[in-house]
Amino acid sequence: MDKATEAWLSALTAFEVARRLIAYSGSLDEDVSAKVETGVQRIGSALGHRVESVPIACSDGGELLAYYLPATTPSSPGPAVICVSSEEETGAMLLGRLLPVVIGRRLSVLVISNDDVEGSSKFLLSSCFDYLSGRPEVDGSRIAIYGDGLSAVLATDFAAYDRRIAAAVCDGGVWSWTRSLVVREERRF
């Protein structure tokens, strides 16, 4: 990895730390979120391919906007992951966190926001699967799903619903759900 790429990844990490500190203090600075999104676009360009903002056609006739990062070596079809952000972050923020992990690997990533799939998740996630399986650099038998926070519940439900999913990584869904219930109860009193 060259020095420019390392610098961009370091900047994204710094913005993520700043975003979490701001969120923890109770106020989310939109400027930090905008800088993360700009950083995501620039790192993709620096690597010779862009992070694409892609429309996913849904069965109800609507569209879902997602971020797509194709595999860096598309010589033969490889694995892909549908990543659903936590309820507290945008898709761009999740992509910013994922870039240091996926850069330089033969892995395609489709990132969507929890806000976009919360209501009718199974059908929208099926549309995301269909989109990925139609990409030439993606092996349709090796598509996984990842859910962060409460989206872990969505990922689990979708993996149980759609047998085409090769793997599911469900990070913190039970803990986030329990924590949100406790916070709601505290606010009531």
Side-chain angles (χ1 to χ4, degrees):
M1 194 178 312
D2 68 359
K3 290 186 186 278
T5 302
E6 286 181 34
W8 277 113
L9 293 176
S10 294
L12 284 175
T13 302
F15 283 130
E16 176 61 20
V17 169
R19 185 190 68 79
R20 287 180 183 247
L21 289 172
I22 290 168
Y24 182 73
S25 71
S27 65
L28 182 60
D29 185 358
E30 295 301 319
D31 187 46
V32 172
S33 297
K35 287 182 181 183
V36 168
E37 190 159 349
T38 300
V40 165
Q41 293 299 334
R42 286 184 179 170
I43 190 74
S45 296
L47 294 173
H49 62 276
R50 297 183 52 79
V51 173
E52 303 170 30
S53 181
V54 296
I56 308 290
C58 301
S59 59
D60 65 358
E63 271 187 353
L64 166 73
L65 287 177
Y67 290 104
Y68 179 66
L69 179 67
T72 55
T73 55
S75 58
S76 63
V81 181
I82 300 167
C83 300
V84 186
S85 74
S86 71
E87 62 282 2
E88 293 107 17
E89 69 184 349
T90 65
M93 289 178 188
L94 175 58
L95 184 57
R97 286 193 302 120
L98 293 173
L99 276 177
V101 178
V102 299
I103 293 298
R105 305 222 169 143
R106 226 180 65 103
L107 177 71
S108 297
V109 178
L110 182 72
V111 178
I112 56 179
S113 173
N114 172 282
D115 291 343
D116 293 334
V117 295
E118 209 168 24
S120 56
S121 61
K122 292 175 187 168
F123 303 111
L124 292 175
L125 291 171
S126 286
S127 297
C128 291
F129 186 98
D130 295 340
Y131 172 82
L132 282 175
S133 63
R135 299 287 303 214
E137 67 275 4
V138 174
D139 177 350
S141 68
R142 296 170 54 196
I143 298 175
I145 187 161
Y146 165 77
D148 192 19
L150 288 179
S151 295
V153 175
L154 299 174
T156 302
D157 286 348
F158 182 63
Y161 167 77
D162 195 324
R163 298 289 181 196
R164 301 176 296 173
I165 291 292
V169 178
C170 307
D171 184 20
V174 174
W175 168 246
S176 293
W177 178 73
T178 304
R179 184 183 58 180
S180 69
L181 286 177
V182 169
V183 169
R184 280 190 218 143
E185 288 299 316
E186 289 174 354
R187 289 181 183 163
R188 286 181 42 192
F189 294 106

